[in-house]
Amino acid sequence: MLGDARGSDDAQDHERKLSDADKKNPEMNKPLRDTELLPDDDGGPLYAAGKKIYPQSVSGSFRRIKWILMAVCLGIYYFLPFVRWNRGLAAPDQAVLIDLANNRFYFFFIELWPQEIYYFTGLLIVAAVTLFLMNALGGRVWCGYLCPQTVWTDLFYAVERLVEGDRRERMRKAEEGWSMQRGAELVLKHSIWLMIAWWTGGAWVLYFADAPTLIKELVTFQAPMVAYIWIGILTATTYTLAGFMREQVCVYMCPWPRIQAALTDEWALNVTYKYDRGETRTSLKKAAQLRALGEQVGDCVDCNQCVAVCPTGIDIRNGPQLDCIQCGLCIDACDNVMTKIGRPTRLIGYDNDINIHRRMEGKPEVFKPLRARTVVYSGLIAAIGAVMLYAMLTRSLLDLNVLHDRNPVAVRLSDGSIRNGYTIRFLNKRGFDRVVAVDVDGPPNAVIHVVGSDSITPDRPMIILARDTTTELRVLVDSRPQSEEDLAPSTPVKFHVTDIGLGEVATAKDVFVKP
Amino acid sequence: MADHAHHAEIDKVTGTATTGHEWDGIKELNTPLPRWWIWTFYACIIWSIGYFIVYPAWPLMDGYTKGLFGYSSRAELAVDLANLDKVRGDKMAALATAPLAEIEKDPALLALARAKGKVVFGDNCAACHGSGGAGAKGYPNLNDDDWLWGGTLDQIEQTIKFGARSGHDDAHQGNMPAFGKDGLLTKDQIVIMANYVRSLSGLSTRSGVDLAAGKQLFADNCSSCHGDEAKGNPELGAPNLTDRIWLYGSDEATLIETLTNGRGGVMPAWTGRLDPATIKAMAVYVHSLGGGK
């Protein structure tokens, strides 16, 4: 692995210390209690019933960050299709548009053709390495703050809380059974959920057609069937995944938690319960008494607030676990409690095992954001980004692809000269028609002829390339060598296409062969 | 399995219940799947039964179960082809009405004619002329500029329509007589003639052959079809003997064979088999291969 450059003495030293510390306290990483080891009611069956989770509302800095990111992400998703971008009359004026019918992708000033799909490949590689970098720096940043599953689930929980009340109320109502009010609340909650889900599906299809036009068509039932079908599909998936599947998606369906577990290292900062400070858990009263006696007690008062706010229903104090999406809400919950009882905050915080051990040994904390893997990841992102940017800025808006005839590869004409046929596809990526001249050089006395182009300049065919499209033409090249030896069995040939107005030139190479 | 609930043993290290199964001291941890997962699995099974009923699914001795939807990929293809014809209908109509000479000047019509012509050529002509029209011995190369029956668009269309020696009333007629077999020329005269014909396009001749005699023989026997200058005559399908292109070969032996046994390759008539618009497309396609005049 890239980041596994743990060759330094420092790191080896550190590992030795880790294992020493482990011997002293074998359950270091797992401050589980025996009472927690009891199986739940159906500890035996092979299929576990889902446990409904009722996350409690919480306020604090991480909750604020999550609200802001949710607003930004959803704002972009829902409103981006309405942003306009003037590209002249020839092209659509939607800033971001995936025009499947015409095989074009528009993103503000960029227009991509299907054959330029490799830009997306580059973008996906950059995105993947960015995820790796996030993981190396701050753990599951993506899962906790940015993943659509997290964002929409968070939104759906907010709706649930608004309609049914907070954790305790919801749990009470779930147990109480049916009443008119309960029914009305459920209808209201599911209606709002469905509306959000429907809007989510609706926004999705707007990326594939002119948004204002499509909306007009949608409300007058004039839109293509496929638009309604996709709105239906995305309404259903949003409603199901954010309303019902929720943390099950992260725990059982998503591969990313597993991949991240393999990617992480001991220096990455993760949402961590600092058990060096927290253990032994002691009730508030008892802790005060013990402290008065000058004894060392843990800061954790076992209030279970971190568990109550957790959207995946886990106990962060059990150490790093697959189910933890690292949203940071337990940090807020714990900070609120610590503030109230007058103890320092961040008993739960972004931390790692290394620093827990160092603190236990009375050493200062060490943070290493600059490590081999973070440097390599950043370098990769910068390099790939630079290559893509360079390719994007220097890409040609006039191009040609040459395909040599395969059968016959060459033809001898009645006067002894030799002809090769080519199929050339000309690409005009500009938004206007243009006239180009086609030239050839390479074989002796080469003459070029474009089938179907009547040229006033016989030796230099002129063709019209329609705007924003490709033109495929058959091109014949005749060579009349002085003698047979004058022409090699295979001669390199170059085709030049020159925009008469702009002077833009594109060149392609091929070969000219003898029969 | 109900037993497990009572006797569930907890693994100390992971805090997970075991299934109670033990092999050589190693116990199996019970990490149950979520129940919704198994319901999804059952739903898939039910879905597959539905799929089995409505779609073709099971082979029988004389066919297969057709399914309630009566789906068949062949029928779907037929629908797609019909749709394609419908979509292309206007363009093909334009192709059918456009004068032959105008098609190459209109980029859209040219592209259509070339696309259509290429497919039809592959289906009907490639067997003799080769997939790219490169030809073979006795089957003309359609990429070069040497045409037995003329290389203008009209002439090409004419040849495709009615063929050569095809039996059609309007077909091109005219044979290379069998000068040797029919006793029109002696063997010696044929050798002289073969060498003389080679000399017309600058090819080497056998030493000691009387080319002057060849010239006289040519004037007496051949020039009526091939012309005094031996430049050929597309009316009769008589090839130009002074160029570098030979349908059957230019070596002495092949020429002697040609002179002795005659030649008369057959090109079928396509009118009646292909509709006029298709023949037009094919004429444009062949013309655009490069040799057309």
Side-chain angles (χ1 to χ4, degrees):
Chain A
M1 236 200 294
L2 276 176
D4 250 351
R6 283 188 285 170
S8 75
D9 290 345
D10 190 37
Q12 280 171 2
D13 186 39
H14 163 74
E15 280 203 340
R16 198 169 53 242
K17 274 173 201 154
L18 254 189
S19 49
D20 286 346
D22 277 341
K23 271 176 217 148
K24 268 183 252 162
N25 186 352
E27 282 190 292
M28 188 87 75
N29 210 4
K30 281 235 143 252
L32 267 181
R33 293 160 179 200
D34 284 349
T35 50
E36 288 169 338
L37 293 182
L38 289 173
D40 45 39
D41 292 336
D42 49 1
L46 292 172
Y47 302 103
K51 261 187 265 168
K52 186 122 173 68
I53 294 164
Y54 301 92
Q56 186 175 289
S57 71
V58 65
S59 60
S61 43
F62 287 94
R63 181 64 264 182
R64 206 152 36 239
I65 292 170
K66 276 173 73 72
W67 285 132
I68 292 167
L69 285 175
M70 184 200 284
V72 171
C73 292
L74 293 181
I76 291 173
Y77 176 73
Y78 286 128
F79 296 110
L80 192 55
F82 298 99
V83 178
R84 301 288 105 183
W85 191 266
N86 186 11
R87 297 187 183 87
L89 290 172
D93 66 346
Q94 187 158 318
V96 178
L97 177 66
I98 302 157
D99 189 352
L100 290 178
N102 299 309
N103 289 329
R104 295 289 180 270
F105 171 67
Y106 299 97
F107 185 85
F108 293 94
F109 59 94
I110 301 168
E111 178 192 332
L112 291 183
W113 288 23
Q115 59 265 46
E116 292 169 309
I117 196 82
Y118 50 80
Y119 287 113
F120 287 99
T121 312
L123 205 63
L124 287 175
I125 294 172
V126 168
V129 183
T130 306
L131 282 177
F132 298 171
L133 180 64
M134 280 185 191
N135 183 260
L137 292 173
R140 293 169 62 173
V141 176
W142 170 259
C143 299
Y145 304 96
L146 297 166
C147 174
Q149 177 63 25
T150 295
V151 171
W152 262 280
T153 302
D154 212 12
L155 181 66
F156 273 47
Y157 269 133
V159 171
E160 192 169 270
R161 215 170 277 135
L162 192 75
V163 176
E164 293 183 42
D166 210 349
R167 175 180 162 88
R168 279 168 194 284
E169 255 177 294
R170 297 210 301 280
M171 289 169 89
R172 179 175 56 76
K173 284 176 181 171
E175 273 189 11
E176 268 174 3
W178 287 94
S179 68
M180 277 299 281
Q181 203 210 336
R182 175 82 180 139
E185 276 179 10
L186 285 180
V187 169
L188 180 62
K189 178 180 83 172
H190 287 281
S191 306
I192 300 176
W193 278 3
L194 277 168
M195 270 159 62
I196 296 171
W198 167 78
W199 193 17
T200 306
W204 176 262
V205 299
L206 297 183
Y207 285 90
F208 296 86
D210 183 59
T213 314
L214 183 59
I215 288 177
K216 222 174 287 165
E217 289 174 352
L218 282 169
V219 296
T220 55
F221 298 102
Q222 305 284 310
M225 200 56 208
V226 66
Y228 294 106
I229 291 173
W230 273 105
I231 292 176
I233 290 173
L234 280 140
T235 305
T237 54
T238 309
Y239 179 64
T240 314
L241 294 178
F244 302 95
M245 294 305 286
R246 299 177 163 175
E247 80 290 341
Q248 299 285 306
V249 174
C250 314
V251 179
Y252 292 105
M253 289 161 76
C254 181
W256 187 226
R258 280 89 186 154
I259 298 170
Q260 294 199 98
L263 273 174
T264 194
D265 68 352
E266 69 278 25
W267 290 103
L269 293 175
N270 281 293
V271 174
T272 306
Y273 165 60
K274 299 173 183 171
Y275 54 81
D276 57 307
R277 237 190 83 189
E279 301 293 311
T280 6
R281 302 173 200 175
T282 322
S283 77
L284 193 54
K285 245 186 224 165
K286 206 171 168 197
Q289 291 165 0
L290 288 172
R291 280 202 189 94
L293 295 172
E295 280 198 44
Q296 193 99 55
V297 286
D299 277 344
C300 177
V301 294
D302 221 356
C303 65
N304 268 323
Q305 283 301 294
C306 53
V307 180
V309 299
C310 180
T312 66
I314 57 154
D315 188 343
I316 189 68
R317 295 171 299 174
N318 289 347
Q321 47 209 296
L322 189 84
D323 320 32
C324 175
I325 59 167
Q326 308 218 344
C327 59
L329 293 183
C330 51
I331 304 180
D332 282 345
C334 192
D335 281 0
N336 292 343
V337 172
M338 288 297 121
T339 311
K340 267 183 215 153
I341 65 170
R343 301 294 300 167
T345 56
R346 294 294 140 91
L347 174 58
I348 302 172
Y350 275 92
D351 199 16
N352 55 29
D353 256 6
I354 289 176
N355 283 316
I356 289 178
H357 288 285
R358 287 185 71 94
R359 286 194 299 269
M360 289 170 88
E361 290 161 16
K363 292 181 188 166
E365 293 176 336
V366 179
F367 295 99
K368 268 182 120 178
L370 215 62
R371 314 192 292 281
R373 67 175 61 197
T374 56
V375 171
V376 170
Y377 291 154
S378 309
L380 275 175
I381 293 168
I384 299 168
V387 167
M388 275 176 60
L389 199 65
Y390 176 79
M392 179 69 85
L393 292 176
T394 57
R395 77 192 174 126
S396 171
L397 298 176
L398 176 69
D399 207 355
L400 71 164
N401 299 319
V402 181
L403 188 68
H404 196 291
D405 274 8
R406 291 177 181 200
N407 176 23
V409 287
V411 180
R412 190 176 292 280
L413 300 182
S414 52
D415 65 353
S417 58
I418 291 159
R419 167 176 291 172
N420 279 203
Y422 305 84
T423 303
I424 301 189
R425 189 172 275 280
F426 300 90
L427 292 79
N428 176 14
K429 293 183 189 169
R430 288 196 188 273
F432 44 83
D433 296 356
R434 42 188 177 166
V435 179
V436 295
V438 191
D439 303 296
V440 67
D441 67 49
N445 303 320
V447 176
I448 187 166
H449 172 63
V450 179
V451 172
S453 96
D454 280 331
S455 183
I456 32 168
T457 48
D459 293 341
R460 197 174 193 220
M462 300 277 177
I463 52 175
I464 298 167
L465 301 184
R467 68 183 179 216
D468 193 42
T469 190
T470 65
T471 311
E472 189 187 90
L473 290 170
R474 186 166 165 78
V475 173
L476 307 167
V477 176
D478 295 354
S479 169
R480 185 140 201 212
Q482 300 289 340
S483 65
E484 285 295 315
E485 292 73 39
D486 206 15
L487 186 66
S490 175
T491 314
V493 60
K494 269 187 191 167
F495 293 94
H496 310 283
V497 14
T498 312
D499 184 318
I500 296 303
L502 298 171
E504 222 174 304
V505 182
T507 302
K509 286 182 198 163
D510 209 284
V511 288
F512 188 90
V513 296
K514 227 160 52 166
Chain B
M1 228 181 281
D3 279 356
H4 296 152
H6 305 295
H7 305 298
E9 191 186 344
I10 303 299
D11 175 63
K12 268 282 178 191
V13 180
T14 58
T16 308
T18 73
T19 58
H21 304 154
E22 187 178 331
W23 291 273
D24 295 341
I26 298 169
K27 285 171 189 164
E28 184 187 22
L29 297 184
N30 184 15
T31 44
L33 278 172
R35 200 165 277 163
W36 61 260
W37 193 95
I38 197 74
W39 286 121
T40 313
F41 181 58
Y42 291 149
C44 289
I45 293 174
I46 292 165
W47 176 269
S48 74
I49 294 169
Y51 202 93
F52 197 97
I53 294 167
V54 299
Y55 281 111
W58 198 255
L60 303 171
M61 290 304 283
D62 56 345
Y64 55 90
T65 58
K66 297 280 192 294
L68 291 180
F69 286 0
Y71 172 84
S72 124
S73 52
R74 184 169 286 274
E76 196 148 274
L77 175 71
V79 171
D80 283 351
L81 286 177
N83 278 341
L84 187 67
D85 278 349
K86 211 186 283 172
V87 170
R88 282 190 181 163
D90 291 350
K91 291 176 177 173
M92 283 308 285
L95 192 69
T97 52
L100 208 43
E102 298 303 311
I103 294 174
E104 281 198 3
K105 288 177 187 156
D106 181 330
L109 281 181
L110 174 62
L112 176 67
R114 274 184 51 75
K116 178 95 183 163
K118 185 174 184 176
V119 173
V120 180
F121 188 90
D123 289 348
N124 297 287
C125 317
C128 295
H129 288 285
S131 61
K137 183 176 176 181
Y139 301 102
N141 184 340
L142 303 175
N143 291 267
D144 65 26
D145 60 346
D146 193 30
W147 297 87
L148 291 173
W149 307 99
T152 66
L153 274 169
D154 288 328
Q155 287 168 325
I156 292 172
E157 190 192 27
Q158 180 81 6
T159 305
I160 296 171
K161 266 186 180 161
F162 306 119
R165 310 170 192 106
S166 62
H168 193 281
D169 290 344
D170 295 324
H172 292 306
Q173 299 299 338
N175 276 310
M176 170 76 183
F179 286 97
K181 215 162 74 180
D182 294 348
L184 301 171
L185 294 172
T186 65
K187 278 187 178 173
D188 291 343
Q189 285 173 317
I190 284 175
V191 173
I192 293 170
M193 184 69 93
N195 279 279
Y196 173 72
V197 168
R198 276 176 64 79
S199 74
L200 291 174
S201 53
L203 297 169
S204 63
T205 54
R206 187 195 289 255
S207 62
V209 170
D210 185 355
L211 292 177
K215 186 171 181 158
Q216 190 54 49
L217 279 170
F218 186 90
D220 294 346
N221 295 285
C222 314
S223 60
S224 57
C225 294
H226 289 281
D228 293 336
E229 305 282 311
K231 297 281 189 198
N233 182 354
E235 292 296 312
L236 302 166
N240 183 347
L241 301 175
T242 63
D243 66 19
R244 302 279 300 269
I245 295 168
W246 299 84
L247 183 57
Y248 292 93
S250 63
D251 57 301
E252 192 191 28
T254 305
L255 286 170
I256 289 171
E257 184 195 330
T258 302
L259 284 158
T260 306
N261 298 325
R263 297 288 184 189
V266 173
M267 157 88 178
W270 293 96
T271 186
R273 294 206 249 178
L274 301 174
D275 63 81
T278 305
I279 289 179
K280 236 172 173 177
M282 188 116 81
V284 171
Y285 172 72
V286 170
H287 189 258
S288 76
L289 285 175
K293 308 229 160 152

